[in-house]
């Protein structure tokens, strides 16, 4: 378990190691300009402006020189300066000058130094370089200065540092496992999806096998929502400018929206969110308190402009489908509705093998819409729901959106990584902007509360998480191909085809490998394709009307009665065994 104390120690070690790395880089490459170098959850990085990109050989040289600085056990010394002094000290560092210019007037400007190296920094650090127990430089990548693709491309060196070699070895083992599970590599090897420059970065083409997995969890999603009283709708992919102006997207979100196209002298935008369309559905009829809560869901495709440097396989894209829903309700219905959303969340996520969560509650920021009373009701409702379920959560004070507080559910995957997934968010803004109302029991008009929620987040991102969680070896209920039938010789193909047809009629997803390859090669290929079951058919199986069953794990179950193994497979599918 990583305690708060251990987190603090690791942050100090990593922050200090980043300074040592910057020191060494300046010594080895004097023309390099320094940017920033923070600690991260798993390590640290430092950004440099350099004429020639760093190589793996450079990293080895830097790492070796860092070891020498560490062995010299140089103390880290804290200092404070006036603005004029710190500007004068950094005249040769243009990126540092930019950082300095952003420091508010009156705020303390401090540095940490070790030896002859001194860097703008608020800390904290370990006492001396000798207190850095173990570190490793990992890789180098390009990064735009301040994440802006219109700014210079910098070189970012990533590294990690720990309090012990055992902790370092454990982390590096996780990194190696993460590489083996990389959804971009597995997506290509398993023929699940692709991305093409010709169609545009950040736009996913789902291949048949990937589309089959998607359809399975879409169907499951729809069924569960219908069971729980949601109405599912379909909405357009574009909307007129006035819609987005009323919703506030053009004021607060335009930089993430694609440029408009003009039709009939009107500007139309690709939708970045589904909310305004769901509101239009709500407004399509006069609503009464008897209609509430109204739960409106959609698997709606949206488009957002993400900077090119931030795109990452299926995990960060420009076109994606949200498992979106909006709940319109009265204030007294909030707690029960949030509780039902959490019920749905945990039921859905557990079906996919996720049962380890962390929770965050984000509260009112400094700038916010809605009355103090509304915020108090909403925050208390979220808090009470979490408390009544005995859920542990961290409070992020001031971390809510300007239009409402929220709950975030973070899932932990098979190798311990955390992924932000479900979001449940109040909105005081849109009901007011769109003048939503309902007729209360008292006959007066009232404004409903509105709750945004997405459980998977987006189907693309959730698919990427699933691929990495399972390492591509989907459980039987999700596997695009559940059984590979492998005839030993050509004379067994007829039996295999009859078997395939019989299984297909029962809703089993199966294929037959009738290639002129040796059986062992076919078995190996099926295992590489991560197919859960292989049915081997030869003379014995044809004669006894059985199948030789092998699992992708390599386990050989021998000759098994067909009905017996099908009963096992059907159970795995119906119970969604993971």
């Amino acid at each position: 378990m990583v305690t708060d104390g251990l987190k603090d120690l690791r942050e100090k070690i990593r922050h200090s190691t980043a300074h040592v790395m910057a020191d060494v880089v300046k010594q080895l490459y004097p023309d390099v300009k320094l940017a920033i170098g923070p600690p991260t959850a798993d390590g640290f990085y430092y950004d440099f402006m350099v004429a020639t990109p760093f190589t793996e050989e450079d990293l080895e040289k830097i790492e070796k020189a860092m070891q020498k600085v560490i062995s010299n056990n140089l103390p880290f010394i804290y200092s404070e300066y006036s603005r004029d002094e710190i500007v004068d000290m950094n005249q040769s560092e243009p990126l540092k000058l930019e950082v300095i210019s952003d420091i508010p007037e009156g705020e303390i400007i401090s540095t940490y130094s070790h030896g002859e190296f001194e860097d703008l920094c608020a800390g904290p650090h370990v006492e001396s370089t000798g207190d850095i127990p173990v570190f490793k430089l990992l890789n180098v990548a390009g990064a735009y200065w301040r994440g802006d693709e219109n700014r210079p491309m910098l070189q970012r060196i990533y590294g990690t540092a720990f309090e012990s070699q055992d902790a370092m070895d454990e982390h590096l083992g996780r990194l190696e496992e993460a590489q083996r599970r990389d959804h971009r590599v597995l997506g290509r090897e398993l023929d699940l999806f692709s991305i093409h420059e010709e169609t545009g970065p950040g736009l996913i083409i789902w291949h048949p096998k990937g589309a089959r997995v998607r359809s399975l969890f879409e169907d499951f999603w729809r069924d569960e929502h219908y069971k729980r009283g949601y109405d599912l709708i379909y909405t357009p992919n574009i909307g007129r400018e006035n819609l987005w102006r009323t919703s506030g997207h053009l004021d607060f979100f335009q930089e993430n929206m694609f440029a408009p196209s003009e039709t009939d002298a009107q500007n139309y935008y690709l939708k970045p969110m589904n909310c305004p369309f769901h509101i239009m559905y709500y407004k399509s009829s006069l609503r009464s308190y008897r209609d509430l809560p109204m739960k409106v869901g959609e698997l709606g495709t949206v488009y957002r402009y993400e900077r090119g440097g931030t795109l990452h396989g299926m995990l960060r894209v420009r076109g994606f489908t949200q498992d979106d829903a909006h709940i319109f309700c009265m204030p007294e219905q909030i707690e029960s509705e949030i509780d039902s959303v959490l019920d749905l969340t945990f039921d859905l996520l557990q079906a996919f093998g996720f049962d380890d969560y962390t929770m965050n509650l984000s509260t009112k920021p400094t700038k916010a819409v809605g009355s103090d009373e509304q915020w108090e009701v909403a925050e208390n409702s979220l808090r009470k729901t979490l408390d009544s379920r005995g859920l542990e959560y961290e409070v992020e004070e001031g971390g809510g959106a300007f239009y409402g507080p929220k709950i975030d559910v973070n899932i932990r995957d098979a190798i311990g990584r955390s992924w932000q997934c479900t979001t449940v968010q109040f909105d005081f803004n849109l009901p007011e902007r769109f003048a939503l109302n309902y007729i209360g029991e008292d006959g007066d008009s009232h404004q409903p509360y509105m709750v945004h929620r997405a459980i998977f987040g987006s189907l693309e991102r959730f698919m990427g998480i699933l691929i990495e969680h399972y390492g591509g070896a989907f459980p039987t209920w999700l596997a695009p191909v559940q059984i590979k039938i492998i005839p030993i010789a050509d004379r067994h193909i007829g039996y295999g085809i009859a078997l395939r047809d019989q299984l297909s009629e029962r809703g089993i997803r199966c294929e037959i490998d009738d290639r002129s390859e040796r059986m062992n090669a076919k078995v190996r290929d099926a295992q590489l394709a991560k197919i859960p079951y292989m049915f081997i058919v030869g003379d014995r199986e044809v004669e006894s009307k059985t199948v030789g069953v092998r699992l992708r794990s390599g386990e050989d179950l021998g000759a098994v009665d067909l009905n017996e193994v099908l009963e096992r497979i059907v159970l795995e599918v119906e119970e969604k065994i993971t």
Side-chain angles (χ1 to χ4, degrees):
M1 179 180 176
V2 179
T3 63
D4 289 341
L6 184 54
K7 284 181 182 177
D8 292 343
L9 174 60
R10 287 178 175 177
E11 181 177 341
K12 290 179 181 179
I13 291 170
R14 290 163 182 170
H15 203 166
S16 303
T17 312
H19 273 231
V20 171
M21 180 171 69
D23 174 17
V24 165
V25 169
K26 284 294 286 186
Q27 290 182 45
L28 296 175
Y29 312 94
D31 293 334
V32 161
K33 303 302 179 186
L34 300 177
I36 56 173
T40 67
D42 293 317
F44 62 89
Y45 69 81
Y46 211 108
D47 288 344
F48 304 94
M49 182 185 288
V50 56
T52 304
F54 294 117
T55 64
E56 290 298 322
E57 291 74 20
D58 290 323
L59 293 192
E60 292 176 10
K61 188 192 303 184
I62 294 167
E63 195 171 273
K64 185 176 180 180
M66 288 173 66
Q67 292 286 9
K68 185 174 181 181
V69 173
I70 290 170
S71 67
N72 288 337
N73 198 27
L74 303 171
F76 283 101
I77 300 172
Y78 174 82
S79 303
E80 294 180 3
Y81 293 93
S82 70
R83 186 173 296 273
D84 288 342
E85 288 172 328
I86 200 73
V87 167
D88 187 59
M89 290 168 55
N90 285 274
Q91 282 303 307
S92 63
E93 297 289 350
L95 304 181
K96 290 292 184 186
L97 290 175
E98 187 175 332
V99 173
I100 293 167
S101 69
D102 290 339
I103 298 175
E105 287 293 335
E107 188 170 305
I108 293 174
I109 300 176
S110 60
T111 66
Y112 273 86
S113 63
H114 63 273
E116 297 182 4
F117 180 79
E118 189 168 9
D119 198 2
L120 187 71
C121 182
H125 287 275
V126 293
E127 292 297 318
S128 68
T129 60
D131 292 327
I132 298 173
V134 57
F135 78 95
K136 183 174 181 58
L137 300 188
L138 300 174
N139 62 286
V140 62
Y144 290 111
W145 174 227
R146 299 198 153 178
D148 186 343
E149 59 190 6
N150 297 311
R151 305 298 301 276
M153 172 66 79
L154 308 181
Q155 288 285 289
R156 175 172 294 178
I157 298 178
Y158 287 97
T160 192
F162 283 88
E163 71 283 356
S164 69
Q165 187 63 52
D166 285 346
M168 171 71 82
D169 290 343
E170 182 181 343
H171 176 70
L172 294 179
R174 284 197 301 269
L175 290 181
E176 290 177 6
E177 182 60 29
Q179 280 189 316
R180 286 192 288 270
R181 292 169 179 260
D182 190 323
H183 76 282
R184 295 165 299 177
V185 176
L186 290 172
R188 181 177 62 253
E189 292 177 350
L190 300 177
D191 196 23
L192 299 173
F193 73 94
S194 60
I195 304 170
H196 304 268
E197 281 299 320
E198 293 87 346
T199 54
L203 300 173
I204 305 297
I205 295 177
W206 295 73
H207 294 197
K209 287 185 171 63
R212 176 56 71 97
V213 179
R214 171 172 170 163
S215 70
L216 289 165
F217 63 74
E218 279 188 353
D219 290 344
F220 178 49
W221 184 92
R222 289 189 186 94
D223 289 345
E224 289 299 312
H225 279 71
Y226 280 131
K227 287 177 187 176
R228 299 168 199 248
Y230 284 79
D231 291 313
L232 304 186
I233 65 174
Y234 295 93
T235 63
N237 286 331
I238 61 173
R240 288 172 57 177
E241 179 176 332
N242 284 346
L243 179 72
W244 307 112
R245 195 166 300 286
T246 302
S247 70
H249 285 90
L250 290 183
D251 294 326
F252 299 106
F253 204 71
Q254 189 168 9
E255 66 180 20
N256 296 105
M257 297 172 68
F258 281 96
S261 61
E262 187 175 313
T263 302
D264 299 330
Q266 295 281 339
N267 281 334
Y268 283 78
Y269 287 84
L270 285 170
K271 68 174 177 180
M273 296 182 187
N274 299 302
C275 334
F277 293 97
H278 292 194
I279 287 172
M280 289 298 102
Y281 165 68
Y282 180 92
K283 293 189 69 171
S284 67
S285 179
L286 180 65
R287 305 299 178 185
S288 152
Y289 72 95
R290 298 180 188 278
D291 299 316
L292 303 183
M294 178 180 288
K295 298 186 278 192
V296 182
E298 178 183 14
L299 293 171
T301 300
V302 299
Y303 298 89
R304 298 180 189 172
Y305 174 69
E306 300 284 357
R307 300 183 188 280
T310 67
L311 299 176
H312 182 76
M314 296 187 104
L315 301 179
R316 192 73 177 265
V317 294
R318 287 175 171 165
F320 54 95
T321 300
Q322 284 190 310
D323 66 317
D324 218 353
H326 296 89
I327 300 171
F328 303 91
C329 63
M330 296 182 287
E332 59 268 29
Q333 296 171 325
I334 290 175
E335 288 181 37
S336 63
E337 288 308 308
I338 297 302
D339 200 46
S340 70
V341 168
L342 292 179
D343 280 339
L344 177 57
T345 295
F346 297 140
D347 287 348
L348 284 176
L349 294 179
Q350 286 171 3
F352 291 90
F354 299 110
D355 53 13
D356 186 3
Y357 315 104
T358 59
M359 315 281 288
N360 296 91
L361 170 62
S362 299
T363 62
K364 184 179 181 180
T366 304
K367 293 182 179 180
V369 298
S371 68
D372 289 341
E373 181 183 0
Q374 285 177 312
W375 275 88
E376 184 178 358
V377 168
E379 287 180 8
N380 286 341
S381 297
L382 295 177
R383 203 182 299 267
K384 284 179 183 177
T385 304
L386 293 171
D387 290 341
S388 67
R389 301 176 75 103
L391 294 169
E392 294 184 5
Y393 58 94
E394 293 186 6
V395 177
E396 186 179 348
E397 297 290 352
F402 74 93
Y403 50 80
K406 64 174 181 172
I407 293 173
D408 289 323
V409 180
N410 310 292
I411 56 176
R412 202 173 301 280
D413 71 10
I415 58 174
R417 295 172 300 180
S418 183
W419 304 87
Q420 195 280 314
C421 200
T422 301
T423 295
V424 186
Q425 190 156 26
F426 274 90
D427 191 338
F428 308 123
N429 180 50
L430 291 181
E432 184 173 340
R433 280 179 171 269
F434 283 94
L436 299 188
N437 63 77
Y438 67 91
I439 305 303
E441 193 171 4
D442 58 4
D444 291 336
S445 178
H446 301 270
Q447 188 175 98
Y449 277 16
M450 179 178 175
V451 177
H452 304 254
R453 49 113 292 209
I455 293 174
F456 298 148
S458 86
L459 302 193
E460 284 74 9
R461 186 168 181 271
F462 193 68
M463 179 67 166
I465 294 171
L466 282 178
I467 293 170
E468 298 202 1
H469 178 60
Y470 290 115
F474 295 107
T476 304
W477 80 273
L478 271 179
V481 178
Q482 296 167 316
I483 299 170
K484 178 74 78 171
I485 299 169
I486 301 175
I488 294 176
D490 287 351
R491 65 181 179 275
H492 308 125
I493 291 176
Y495 179 68
I497 291 174
L499 190 58
R500 179 198 63 193
D501 294 344
Q502 181 182 352
L503 294 172
S504 296
E505 287 178 3
R506 297 184 63 170
I508 303 293
R509 300 184 292 280
C510 59
E511 295 177 346
I512 183 169
D513 188 344
D514 55 5
R515 297 175 299 160
S516 299
E517 298 281 350
R518 295 176 61 86
M519 184 196 75
N520 287 342
K522 294 180 182 181
V523 169
R524 184 183 65 251
D525 289 345
Q527 287 176 317
L528 290 174
K530 304 186 186 295
I531 296 171
Y533 287 89
M534 284 146 273
F535 285 2
I536 315 298
V537 294
D539 290 338
R540 181 181 61 178
E541 287 75 23
V542 171
E543 183 177 344
S544 61
K545 303 301 180 186
T546 59
V547 290
V549 179
R550 295 197 187 188
L551 308 182
R552 62 185 164 202
S553 64
E555 184 180 357
D556 187 347
L557 302 184
V560 180
D561 178 78
L562 180 61
N563 288 328
E564 181 183 334
V565 70
L566 286 186
E567 186 177 329
R568 167 176 170 160
I569 292 171
V570 168
L571 179 65
E572 290 182 18
V573 171
E574 290 181 347
E575 298 294 326
K576 292 183 170 53
I577 294 172
T578 58

